[in-house]
Amino acid sequence: MTFTVVKEDVGETSDGVKKMTLAEFLASPESDDRYEFVDGQVVKKMSPKRFHAALQGVLYRYLGDLFEGKGFVYPEWGIMLTRYGQDWCPVPDLMYISMERLPADVGNEMCPVPPELVIEIMSEGQTFREFVAKASDYLNAGVLRVWVINPLHRTLTVFFADRPPETYRGDRLITDELFTDLAVTAEQFFVKAGI
């Protein structure tokens, strides 16, 4: 996911592009497509390639089974968060939100609360450093776990709010006290995705 960071707190970016408000973004057609809202700007998400799409499908099925009856797994559902004190609407590749956390009255809108888990899958040309920063932004906004998956290096890195990240590769078992039934390896995801 590549995004532009705008440093100004004024109504325009350095290249003269007018910033929009969250309300303007939500009323725009871009809020219904593959766009994120970052620093007052509408930013198009990178179009996924085969590895990305295959992993997204495998993870969706695995997590759907894992969390059945406990919550919901959604691909590409925008989340209304804050970042550096400003409105931020990222669109993670996948997210999990429990029934307890998701308000019962949510309609056909962006997710109004931080989910327990956000998953981002790297695409070619993106750097791990970008995703470290984005994971930090998610955690600071109230997301409890962030997974960053690198298909080219066959790794899955878990980011936590209260301790350093852990990177899983090969047959190292992924477990988490937050998700007590989780017991899988990164390699299982890559093999099932045909990578």
Side-chain angles (χ1 to χ4, degrees):
M1 190 128 343
T2 303
F3 53 90
T4 305
V5 177
V6 179
K7 304 265 189 220
E8 293 84 10
D9 289 325
V10 294
E12 291 186 356
T13 65
S14 59
D15 57 1
V17 177
K18 182 183 181 304
K19 288 179 146 187
M20 65 178 6
T21 65
L22 176 61
E24 289 170 331
F25 171 69
L26 294 175
S28 73
E30 286 84 1
S31 70
D32 292 330
D33 206 347
R34 294 183 52 85
Y35 290 89
E36 295 184 316
F37 182 71
V38 182
D39 294 326
Q41 299 293 299
V42 176
V43 181
K44 186 163 179 52
K45 285 186 64 169
M46 185 175 284
S47 181
K49 304 287 190 280
R50 185 180 77 84
F51 288 176
H52 185 288
L55 277 168
Q56 191 172 13
V58 166
L59 288 158
Y60 178 77
R61 287 188 300 278
Y62 174 81
L63 295 172
D65 290 343
L66 180 70
F67 295 126
E68 186 173 2
K70 299 174 185 172
F72 309 95
V73 178
Y74 295 106
E76 310 288 337
W77 189 23
I79 312 167
M80 293 175 49
L81 301 171
T82 58
R83 178 177 173 265
Y84 306 126
Q86 297 181 27
D87 292 320
W88 177 42
C89 296
V91 181
D93 295 315
L94 286 163
M95 63 176 272
Y96 162 71
I97 188 163
S98 66
M99 290 178 184
E100 293 81 24
R101 196 172 262 229
L102 185 66
D105 62 347
V106 170
N108 191 28
E109 60 200 67
M110 288 195 179
C111 185
V113 295
E116 282 89 346
L117 172 65
V118 159
I119 299 174
E120 295 284 3
I121 302 168
M122 294 177 63
S123 295
E124 290 180 47
Q126 296 178 311
T127 67
F128 187 68
R129 181 176 289 181
E130 291 175 66
F131 286 91
V132 169
K134 194 166 190 182
S136 177
D137 291 340
Y138 276 127
L139 295 170
N140 288 333
V143 175
L144 301 180
R145 296 289 187 274
V146 179
W147 291 5
V148 173
I149 300 174
N150 186 330
L152 297 179
H153 292 115
R154 299 174 79 88
T155 60
L156 186 155
T157 302
V158 180
F159 292 84
F160 307 88
D162 59 351
R163 61 184 184 265
E166 292 187 39
T167 298
Y168 297 84
R169 62 175 45 88
D171 292 330
R172 182 179 177 209
L173 194 63
I174 303 166
T175 60
D176 191 319
E177 67 276 3
L178 185 62
F179 312 121
T180 54
D181 295 331
L182 177 68
V184 67
T185 68
E187 190 64 17
Q188 287 175 281
F189 292 135
F190 296 118
V191 169
K192 283 190 177 190
I195 299 172

